[in-house]
Amino acid sequence: QQQVKQSPQSLIVQKGGISIINCAYENTAFDYFPWYQQFPGKGPALLIAIRPDVSEKKEGRFTISFNKSAKQFSLHIMDSQPGDSATYFCAARSDTSGTYKYIFGTGTRLKVLA
Amino acid sequence: SAVISQKPSRDICQRGTSLTIQCQVDSQVTMMFWYRQQPGQSLTLIATANQGSEATYESGFVIDKFPISRPNLTFSTLTVSNMSPEDSSIYLCSVERGQGAFFGQGTRLTVV
């Protein structure tokens, strides 16, 4: 119930294309859903996040779509660029006795071809 | 956001030895978090460190193996004790800023 399932494991997209990464969760107590971008040798960096009372959030080329009834959310990267090549993690946050804890998806390795 | 500095950034250690990883945050925080990221894998929470109290460990992680100190509101250390090759991972320090968790650059540990 604490898992966050992420797919696909890897993704190859042409420059200018749309990258789509999907995540699903079971625990309805999760209250916040961030996405992280990680480059090799770096720590994960917060990319964009959404709360469950919102169905979509857009920041630049990055959009989160959230389907509360299906317990699914996805990251869309529009006009994908070679610089977007990285590993992306979805996450879900719960509040455990006043402490925020995150469960991370298994990651998607994105490669954008020039 | 948050500025989180970790030291060392990487190390190669002999099995049976211990390594202490330091984490410095740019402002005071109540809780600091330590994660492990095994090669090519996702992030797993090791423990939560509160200033002035014992760290809280997640299932599968124990204090004898991963002792944590939290001497003040901007600093924490994680020690990986009696290391084996299975401990080769990236260890990450994290803080919560309301809009999400923020991470240091990580410590890449290789145990030989």
Side-chain angles (χ1 to χ4, degrees):
Chain A
Q1 194 180 21
Q2 286 295 321
Q3 285 186 328
V4 176
K5 296 182 180 179
Q6 184 172 346
S7 63
Q9 187 174 8
S10 62
L11 182 61
I12 299 175
V13 174
Q14 293 288 337
K15 179 181 176 181
I18 303 173
S19 303
I20 301 175
I21 304 170
N22 301 298
C23 285
Y25 64 97
E26 290 293 327
N27 187 352
T28 56
F30 290 138
D31 66 353
Y32 195 62
F33 299 87
W35 284 89
Y36 289 85
Q37 180 188 56
Q38 186 177 30
F39 293 104
K42 303 292 186 182
L46 180 63
L47 193 59
I48 187 173
I50 197 166
R51 299 190 186 278
D53 54 348
V54 176
S55 61
E56 184 176 282
K57 183 175 181 180
K58 183 176 181 179
E59 291 184 0
R61 296 185 293 109
F62 301 93
T63 299
I64 300 177
S65 297
F66 191 87
N67 186 330
K68 188 174 182 178
S69 60
K71 291 186 270 187
Q72 296 175 347
F73 58 110
S74 60
L75 175 69
H76 295 232
I77 305 174
M78 313 300 286
D79 187 26
S80 299
Q81 299 296 312
D84 297 329
S85 297
T87 300
Y88 293 81
F89 293 95
C90 63
R93 186 183 77 179
S94 63
D95 184 346
T96 306
S97 302
T99 301
Y100 287 141
K101 289 190 176 181
Y102 292 82
I103 303 294
F104 287 83
T106 48
T108 296
R109 187 169 295 187
L110 172 65
K111 185 175 179 63
V112 181
L113 301 177
Chain B
S1 64
V3 177
I4 304 171
S5 301
Q6 276 187 242
K7 291 181 182 179
S9 59
R10 58 177 61 227
D11 208 342
I12 301 173
C13 300
Q14 295 291 325
R15 68 178 66 199
T17 63
S18 298
L19 176 71
T20 295
I21 303 167
Q22 300 179 7
C23 179
Q24 180 76 49
V25 187
D26 63 339
S27 59
Q28 296 182 344
V29 290
T30 303
M31 294 184 184
M32 296 176 73
F33 303 86
W34 287 98
Y35 286 83
R36 181 175 73 182
Q37 186 176 24
Q38 294 177 302
Q41 303 295 315
S42 187
L43 288 77
T44 302
L45 180 64
I46 297 171
T48 303
N50 248 337
Q51 194 269 334
S53 64
E54 290 275 333
T56 302
Y57 290 82
E58 298 299 305
S59 176
F61 298 96
V62 295
I63 187 171
D64 289 347
K65 177 67 175 177
F66 298 101
I68 288 172
S69 77
R70 184 78 202 275
N72 59 53
L73 291 172
T74 63
F75 187 80
S76 179
T77 67
L78 170 76
T79 299
V80 186
S81 303
N82 188 25
M83 289 183 286
S84 67
E86 291 71 35
D87 294 320
S88 297
S89 292
I90 299 172
Y91 292 87
L92 294 152
C93 173
S94 173
V95 300
E96 170 69 34
R97 277 281 190 259
Q99 67 269 42
F102 291 86
F103 292 87
Q105 81 276 18
T107 296
R108 183 178 294 270
L109 170 62
T110 302
V111 183
V112 297

